[in-house]
Amino acid sequence: MAEHRSMQRAALLDAARSLLSEGGTEALTFPALAERTGLARSSVYEYFRSRAAVVEELCEADFPVWAAEVEAAMAQADGSEGKIEAYVRKQLELVRDRRHRAVVAISASELDAGAREKIRAAHGGLIAMIVEALADLGHAEPRLTAMLLQGVVDAAVRRIELGAAEHPDVITRAAVSMALDGVRG
């Protein structure tokens, strides 16, 4: 029985990922989750008390994977500038991966304080990765620079998500260029 519940919960989370990646947070509704999974709407409530609870659980599952992929890309890069480039490039690459589109939709959405706190903590982990590379480059304010750098990444993510006129590769190149020019400052 417990295994069946765990499978249903996983199916609900996967359906939530799909809904978020297709239509953003507005698309994530309990009727839509019920329809996608073939469960009764009342069953969805047995697993999650609210949309925020669904999002919170998705964050707990997906953010560490996102962060680990960024960290792995940075670990393979040469030198501090290489790490910074990998940090920007990998995040923008992950946006195009369906598994991670939900993470992007979530970041921009209105959530309850608990879910927002979890996202902030996960983002904090990403920021910490880049602070070290910036400190190695001799930045006086590596944490501030890291936060601003993440702002460039977030803006590029939104541009890609919106299906902007520019090709995602063009957006990525511009973001990498801004990041590297900025940290060389």
Side-chain angles (χ1 to χ4, degrees), residues 21 37-38 42-43 63 70 72 74 90 98 112 133 156 158 160 165 176:
S21 74
T37 54
S42 58
S43 298
F63 259 123
V70 173
M74 288 176 70
K90 189 64 180 180
R98 196 198 75 77
D112 69 20
R158 278 192 300 280
I160 291 170
V176 165

Side-chain angles (χ1 to χ4, degrees), residues 133-155:
L134 290 164
D136 290 345
L137 284 173
H139 271 266
E141 298 277 353
R143 184 145 182 83
L144 172 61
T145 305
M147 307 284 275
L148 296 173
L149 183 63
Q150 186 60 43
V152 169
V153 173
D154 292 343

Side-chain angles (χ1 to χ4, degrees), residues 148-172:
L148 296 173
L149 183 63
Q150 186 60 43
V152 169
V153 173
D154 292 343
V157 162
R158 278 192 300 280
R159 222 48 220 144
I160 291 170
E161 276 297 292
L162 288 169
E166 308 89 6
H167 189 276
D169 292 344
V170 172
I171 296 169
T172 299

Side-chain angles (χ1 to χ4, degrees), residues 21 44 48 70-71 96 107 115 117 130 136 148 156 158 170:
S21 74
V44 178
F48 299 104
V70 173
E71 194 167 11
R96 299 188 238 173
S107 312
E117 193 40 57
I130 205 70
D136 290 345
L148 296 173
R158 278 192 300 280
V170 172

Side-chain angles (χ1 to χ4, degrees), residues 4 8 26 42 45 58 69 71 85 93 98 103 109 113 118 121 127-128 134-136 145 165 169-170 172 182-183:
H4 178 66
Q8 286 190 331
E26 301 76 42
S42 58
Y45 283 99
L58 269 180
E69 291 195 31
E71 194 167 11
E85 178 170 350
E93 188 185 299
R98 196 198 75 77
V103 171
S109 67
K118 287 202 167 85
I127 298 288
L134 290 164
D136 290 345
T145 305
D169 292 344
V170 172
T172 299
V183 299

Side-chain angles (χ1 to χ4, degrees), residues 119-137:
I119 288 173
R120 250 198 303 280
H123 270 294
L126 278 180
I127 298 288
M129 286 183 230
I130 205 70
V131 168
E132 191 180 335
L134 290 164
D136 290 345
L137 284 173

